[in-house]
Amino acid sequence: MTAKIIDGKTIAQEVRAEWKVRADALKARGITPGLAVIIVGEDPASKVYVANKVKACAELGLHSEHVVMSADTPEATLLARIEALNNDPKIHGILVQLPVPKHINSDKVLNAISPDKDVDGFHPMNVGALATGNMRFAPCTPYGAMKLLEKAGVSIEGKHAVVVGRSNIVGKPMALMLLQQNATVTICTSRTVDLAKFTRDADILVVATGKARMITGDMIKPGAAVIDVGINRMDNGKLCGDVDFDSAKEVAGCITPVPGGVGPMTITMLVANTVQAAEWVAG
Ligand code: GUN
């Protein structure tokens, strides 16, 4: 059996088009959704992600501000900049690219962003809202992964979903969103003893460990939906996921590739959250 490939690029275009209609409707009312993206320091991968986020906003006709701060920026300076953006009516969404340099307390930074502008969904109030089933802003990567499942026609209710990875950015919110849709959810980590015992029982398998190709075809239940959140660069410069695509696609029912799976959806859902934030302000 060869799995159906879940084409994240095409689905991302489709979802962006849906949100462009909503953004255009706001613009017709004189409100241009605006996103501020802050980057502190010179991490090359972060620079690429941030540039792509700003570019996606421009493509949809949103207002965006790209705030670049040097690696030695004092925490207080960053917090003051966030506060200014909290009070800026042109800005509906604020994102501080993680990780921030070590001398800055990331929890303090995430707490400083107004929960109403927290398009990353990382503020404790929004994390709590998600945990209590009152989702406001969902973190973009798991939100994008949920959209891929929806668009691929994967039913979630009553299914066993296994999430491998327990980060605040992906694993935990992904598990909560699956639970909210009535999946039976197991959260594993890369250190789970006999991990394959769990993954082989998964109807829906979401992998976000940052360990290249750690999930192989023999660890997957035949016909399962496999969502690979990993992006790892191999020695030959090519990208690969946390799932070994070649062996997995022979067993899974459907699977996301890397690149071209979850990646394009993350930025799409950031744009979606920004438009959503502007809609809430517009009433
Ligand atoms: N770093 C890696 N992923 C993310 C993300 O989704 N948001 C932010 N702000 N930083 C990240």
Side-chain angles (χ1 to χ4, degrees):
M1 182 168 131
T2 300
K4 179 179 116 181
I5 308 300
I6 303 175
D7 180 353
K9 268 195 196 162
T10 302
I11 295 173
Q13 288 305 331
E14 201 180 306
V15 175
R16 277 185 208 200
E18 290 165 15
W19 283 93
K20 186 169 187 313
V21 172
R22 292 169 68 160
D24 287 347
L26 280 172
K27 285 166 79 175
R29 294 168 59 193
I31 301 154
T32 301
L35 174 71
V37 184
I38 304 177
I39 180 168
V40 188
E42 298 287 329
D43 180 66
S46 290
K47 276 177 151 176
V48 173
Y49 294 142
V50 164
N52 286 336
K53 288 171 182 178
V54 173
K55 192 170 138 225
C57 285
E59 278 169 10
L60 261 80
L62 308 194
H63 169 67
S64 63
E65 290 183 23
H66 187 176
V67 181
V68 180
M69 303 180 103
S70 63
D72 59 357
T73 300
E75 184 181 271
T77 307
L78 173 59
L79 295 176
R81 189 65 193 254
I82 291 169
E83 189 53 23
L85 291 165
N86 282 342
N87 296 317
D88 182 343
K90 292 192 302 302
I91 295 299
H92 303 92
I94 303 169
L95 174 154
V96 177
Q97 186 67 24
L98 301 175
V100 286
K102 286 203 169 54
H103 67 279
I104 294 175
N105 179 333
S106 58
D107 283 332
K108 250 191 189 173
V109 170
L110 298 180
N111 272 291
I113 296 171
S114 162
D116 295 332
K117 297 191 176 187
D118 170 37
V119 284
D120 253 333
F122 294 162
H123 189 287
M125 267 182 66
N126 288 320
V127 175
L130 177 61
T132 52
N134 303 299
M135 188 173 99
R136 296 181 76 238
F137 293 115
C140 302
T141 299
Y143 188 15
M146 291 298 287
K147 266 280 167 229
L148 287 179
L149 289 170
E150 178 194 320
K151 296 277 182 183
V154 175
S155 71
I156 294 173
E157 181 154 309
K159 298 290 170 57
H160 185 198
V162 175
V163 179
V164 189
R166 53 100 223 245
S167 70
N168 292 335
I169 292 179
V170 183
K172 283 181 206 159
M174 185 78 207
L176 287 169
M177 278 187 252
L178 288 161
L179 194 59
Q180 189 63 26
Q181 295 205 13
N182 299 313
T184 299
V185 181
T186 302
I187 306 176
C188 299
T189 73
S190 58
R191 295 181 212 178
T192 296
V193 174
D194 199 0
L195 178 61
K197 182 178 81 182
F198 297 95
T199 59
R200 269 191 215 120
D201 193 53
D203 303 306
I204 298 167
L205 178 62
V206 181
V207 189
T209 59
K211 296 196 186 308
R213 293 174 167 164
M214 73 169 291
I215 302 293
T216 45
D218 58 312
M219 298 169 77
I220 294 171
K221 180 176 181 175
V226 178
I227 303 288
D228 186 354
V229 184
I231 303 180
N232 309 284
R233 196 166 290 279
M234 294 181 289
D235 291 340
N236 65 7
K238 288 195 173 160
L239 297 177
C240 75
D242 295 349
V243 175
D244 179 48
F245 185 80
D246 289 342
S247 61
K249 78 174 193 311
E250 300 304 323
V251 186
C254 58
I255 185 168
T256 59
V258 177
V262 176
M265 293 303 290
T266 295
I267 295 181
T268 299
M269 301 331 288
L270 173 65
V271 170
N273 278 348
T274 304
V275 176
Q276 176 75 81
E279 284 180 347
W280 281 330
V281 170

